[in-house]
Amino acid sequence: MMTLLKQLRLSGLYEQLPQITEAARQSQLSYEAFLTQVLQAEIVTRQERADRRRLRAARLPFKGRLEAFDFRFQPSVSERLIRELAGLSFLESATNVMLLGPPGVGKTHLACALSIKALEAGHTVLFITLRDLVQIIEQPHLPYKADPMKRYAQAKLLVIDEVGYTRLTSSQARALFDLVSMRYERGSIILTSNLNFAEWGTLLSDDVLATALLDRLLHHAEVITINGRSYRMKNHMNGDQPSNQPKTK
Ligand code: ADP
Ligand code: MG
């Protein structure tokens, strides 16, 4: 029996079949009901495996969950708006989300939180820093290799984290513009940045390109500006807290 399962690649049933068979015997299931249970067990296992694969492929930097976000600490973030975004209708309208603010205010955390919601709803998500992204997409596409640009263009949700820490070369800026154009009105981008929009010309070393890029990014977008304190510094500024807490990156 196990050999047959192996041949059919029904590995999900491997561990469960003995219990399913025993339970079916005891409750005297019909052949049809038994077969349905068996097939369902395999489908559930496959689904779980696919979900884990999607989660891994998303490459979230950490599991920042919405439930763990302290809105009282960061009053400049509208809890109502974030909860609305967590309902994911922005994905269907291909609306972008721009999370702006200084380091430590929770931009990456909120981007992770929305990513987790999207993953739980069954969507593909790719999370990457701008620095890594441009290095990948600026490479010429080799015919025998999967086009990385396509991969980042096609994910249901693309998160571009840490926009502003690295200045782009002109070919990187061009590649970023192409990617954003490919996703324009097709797929949402969540972007985090410590820059204001006026600084994008410097970031891309090209004012005209920056204007065109922002035009596409902001046409359908929620812009969330966070101007509170750094959560990382929280304990250090309270005074009554030990200052030797392990630093989170
Ligand atoms: P940013 O990306 O804006 O620099 P992060 O999202 O990386 O900041 O946040 C830094 C750390 O602080 C992370 O570990 C994050 O989980 C935590 N953090 C930030 N803001 C909050 C908050 N309001 N509630 C709970 N944790 C937070
Ligand atoms: Mg961050």
Side-chain angles (χ1 to χ4, degrees), residues 10 16 22 27 32 47 58 67 69 112-113 115 118 131 142 144-145 174 180 192 200:
L10 297 171
Q16 300 177 60
E22 184 51 35
S27 50
E32 288 90 344
Q47 192 59 51
E67 295 71 27
F69 192 82
C112 285
S115 298
R131 186 197 143 111
L142 303 172
Y144 55 88
K145 270 195 173 170
R174 192 76 230 169
V180 168
T192 83
W200 280 54

Short mmCIF file of all heavy atoms in Angstrom, two decimals, residues 10 16 22 27 32 47 58 67 69 112-113 115 118 131 142 144-145 174 180 192 200:
data_model
loop_
_atom_site.label_atom_id
_atom_site.label_comp_id
_atom_site.label_asym_id
_atom_site.label_seq_id
_atom_site.Cartn_x
_atom_site.Cartn_y
_atom_site.Cartn_z
N LEU A 10 1.46 10.39 -3.47
CA LEU A 10 0.43 10.84 -2.54
C LEU A 10 1.01 10.86 -1.13
O LEU A 10 0.49 10.25 -0.20
CB LEU A 10 -0.80 9.92 -2.59
CG LEU A 10 -1.53 9.88 -3.94
CD1 LEU A 10 -2.58 8.79 -3.97
CD2 LEU A 10 -2.18 11.23 -4.20
N GLN A 16 -1.32 9.60 7.40
CA GLN A 16 -2.71 9.69 7.87
C GLN A 16 -3.55 8.47 7.52
O GLN A 16 -4.56 8.21 8.17
CB GLN A 16 -3.38 10.92 7.26
CG GLN A 16 -2.70 12.21 7.63
CD GLN A 16 -3.36 13.39 6.95
OE1 GLN A 16 -4.54 13.64 7.14
NE2 GLN A 16 -2.61 14.07 6.13
N GLU A 22 -8.79 3.24 9.95
CA GLU A 22 -9.30 2.70 11.20
C GLU A 22 -10.62 3.37 11.57
O GLU A 22 -11.61 2.71 11.94
CB GLU A 22 -8.25 2.90 12.30
CG GLU A 22 -8.58 2.30 13.65
CD GLU A 22 -9.01 0.83 13.57
OE1 GLU A 22 -8.46 0.11 12.72
OE2 GLU A 22 -9.90 0.42 14.35
N SER A 27 -16.63 3.50 12.00
CA SER A 27 -17.94 4.13 11.76
C SER A 27 -18.60 3.57 10.50
O SER A 27 -19.58 4.10 10.03
CB SER A 27 -17.77 5.66 11.68
OG SER A 27 -16.73 5.96 10.79
N GLU A 32 -17.66 5.27 -0.91
CA GLU A 32 -17.58 6.63 -1.43
C GLU A 32 -17.11 7.61 -0.36
O GLU A 32 -16.24 8.44 -0.59
CB GLU A 32 -18.94 7.12 -1.97
CG GLU A 32 -19.38 6.49 -3.25
CD GLU A 32 -20.20 5.23 -3.01
OE1 GLU A 32 -20.16 4.69 -1.88
OE2 GLU A 32 -20.87 4.77 -3.95
N GLN A 47 -2.30 21.55 0.22
CA GLN A 47 -2.58 22.97 0.42
C GLN A 47 -1.65 23.54 1.48
O GLN A 47 -1.07 24.61 1.30
CB GLN A 47 -4.06 23.13 0.85
CG GLN A 47 -4.54 24.57 0.81
CD GLN A 47 -4.42 25.17 -0.59
OE1 GLN A 47 -4.88 24.59 -1.55
NE2 GLN A 47 -3.76 26.32 -0.70
N ALA A 58 8.08 34.26 0.10
CA ALA A 58 7.83 35.69 0.31
C ALA A 58 9.02 36.37 0.96
O ALA A 58 9.24 37.56 0.77
CB ALA A 58 6.58 35.88 1.17
N GLU A 67 -1.51 42.18 14.98
CA GLU A 67 -1.95 42.03 16.37
C GLU A 67 -0.86 42.51 17.34
O GLU A 67 -1.15 42.88 18.47
CB GLU A 67 -2.30 40.57 16.68
CG GLU A 67 -3.50 40.02 15.90
CD GLU A 67 -3.22 39.81 14.41
OE1 GLU A 67 -2.04 39.59 14.05
OE2 GLU A 67 -4.18 39.87 13.61
N PHE A 69 1.17 45.04 16.76
CA PHE A 69 1.50 46.45 16.54
C PHE A 69 0.77 47.31 17.56
O PHE A 69 -0.46 47.25 17.66
CB PHE A 69 1.17 46.88 15.12
CG PHE A 69 1.75 48.22 14.75
CD1 PHE A 69 3.07 48.34 14.34
CD2 PHE A 69 0.99 49.38 14.86
CE1 PHE A 69 3.63 49.57 14.02
CE2 PHE A 69 1.53 50.62 14.55
CZ PHE A 69 2.85 50.71 14.13
N CYS A 112 5.15 43.96 6.84
CA CYS A 112 5.08 42.52 7.13
C CYS A 112 3.65 42.12 7.49
O CYS A 112 3.15 41.09 7.03
CB CYS A 112 5.99 42.15 8.30
SG CYS A 112 7.73 42.11 7.89
N ALA A 113 3.03 42.93 8.33
CA ALA A 113 1.69 42.60 8.81
C ALA A 113 0.71 42.49 7.64
O ALA A 113 -0.08 41.53 7.56
CB ALA A 113 1.21 43.66 9.80
N SER A 115 1.57 41.92 4.55
CA SER A 115 2.02 40.77 3.76
C SER A 115 1.46 39.47 4.32
O SER A 115 1.01 38.60 3.56
CB SER A 115 3.54 40.67 3.76
OG SER A 115 4.11 41.81 3.19
N ALA A 118 -2.06 39.04 3.37
CA ALA A 118 -2.18 38.66 1.96
C ALA A 118 -1.81 37.19 1.76
O ALA A 118 -2.48 36.46 1.02
CB ALA A 118 -1.30 39.55 1.09
N ARG A 131 17.58 47.75 -2.33
CA ARG A 131 18.97 47.46 -2.65
C ARG A 131 19.12 46.09 -3.33
O ARG A 131 19.77 45.95 -4.36
CB ARG A 131 19.73 47.50 -1.33
CG ARG A 131 21.19 47.36 -1.39
CD ARG A 131 21.65 47.02 0.03
NE ARG A 131 22.73 46.07 -0.07
CZ ARG A 131 23.99 46.38 0.25
NH1 ARG A 131 24.26 47.56 0.72
NH2 ARG A 131 24.93 45.49 0.12
N LEU A 142 18.87 36.27 -19.15
CA LEU A 142 19.44 35.22 -19.99
C LEU A 142 18.33 34.28 -20.46
O LEU A 142 17.43 33.95 -19.69
CB LEU A 142 20.48 34.43 -19.19
CG LEU A 142 21.60 35.30 -18.63
CD1 LEU A 142 22.49 34.50 -17.69
CD2 LEU A 142 22.42 35.92 -19.74
N TYR A 144 18.00 31.16 -20.97
CA TYR A 144 17.75 29.88 -20.30
C TYR A 144 17.37 30.04 -18.84
O TYR A 144 17.17 29.08 -18.13
CB TYR A 144 18.99 28.98 -20.41
CG TYR A 144 20.26 29.62 -19.89
CD1 TYR A 144 20.60 29.51 -18.56
CD2 TYR A 144 21.09 30.34 -20.75
CE1 TYR A 144 21.74 30.11 -18.07
CE2 TYR A 144 22.23 30.95 -20.27
CZ TYR A 144 22.55 30.83 -18.94
OH TYR A 144 23.67 31.43 -18.46
N LYS A 145 17.27 31.28 -18.40
CA LYS A 145 16.93 31.52 -17.00
C LYS A 145 15.56 32.16 -16.91
O LYS A 145 15.16 32.90 -17.79
CB LYS A 145 17.95 32.46 -16.37
CG LYS A 145 19.13 31.75 -15.73
CD LYS A 145 19.85 32.73 -14.85
CE LYS A 145 20.94 32.05 -14.05
NZ LYS A 145 21.79 33.01 -13.38
N ARG A 174 16.46 52.79 -14.00
CA ARG A 174 15.70 52.44 -15.20
C ARG A 174 14.92 51.13 -14.98
O ARG A 174 13.75 51.01 -15.30
CB ARG A 174 16.72 52.25 -16.34
CG ARG A 174 16.16 52.17 -17.72
CD ARG A 174 15.75 53.52 -18.24
NE ARG A 174 14.40 53.38 -18.76
CZ ARG A 174 13.62 54.40 -19.11
NH1 ARG A 174 14.05 55.64 -19.01
NH2 ARG A 174 12.41 54.19 -19.57
N VAL A 180 8.01 49.17 -11.94
CA VAL A 180 6.85 49.91 -11.43
C VAL A 180 5.83 50.13 -12.56
O VAL A 180 4.62 50.02 -12.35
CB VAL A 180 7.30 51.25 -10.79
CG1 VAL A 180 6.11 52.16 -10.52
CG2 VAL A 180 8.07 50.98 -9.50
N THR A 192 8.36 51.12 1.60
CA THR A 192 8.73 51.86 2.81
C THR A 192 9.92 52.74 2.51
O THR A 192 10.81 52.36 1.76
CB THR A 192 9.09 50.94 4.00
OG1 THR A 192 10.47 50.53 3.87
CG2 THR A 192 8.19 49.72 4.07
N TRP A 200 13.57 62.02 -4.11
CA TRP A 200 13.65 60.87 -5.02
C TRP A 200 14.51 61.13 -6.25
O TRP A 200 15.05 60.22 -6.84
CB TRP A 200 12.24 60.43 -5.45
CG TRP A 200 11.58 59.59 -4.39
CD1 TRP A 200 11.40 59.91 -3.08
CD2 TRP A 200 11.04 58.27 -4.56
NE1 TRP A 200 10.78 58.89 -2.42
CE2 TRP A 200 10.54 57.88 -3.30
CE3 TRP A 200 10.91 57.41 -5.64
CZ2 TRP A 200 9.93 56.64 -3.10
CZ3 TRP A 200 10.30 56.18 -5.44
CH2 TRP A 200 9.82 55.81 -4.18
#
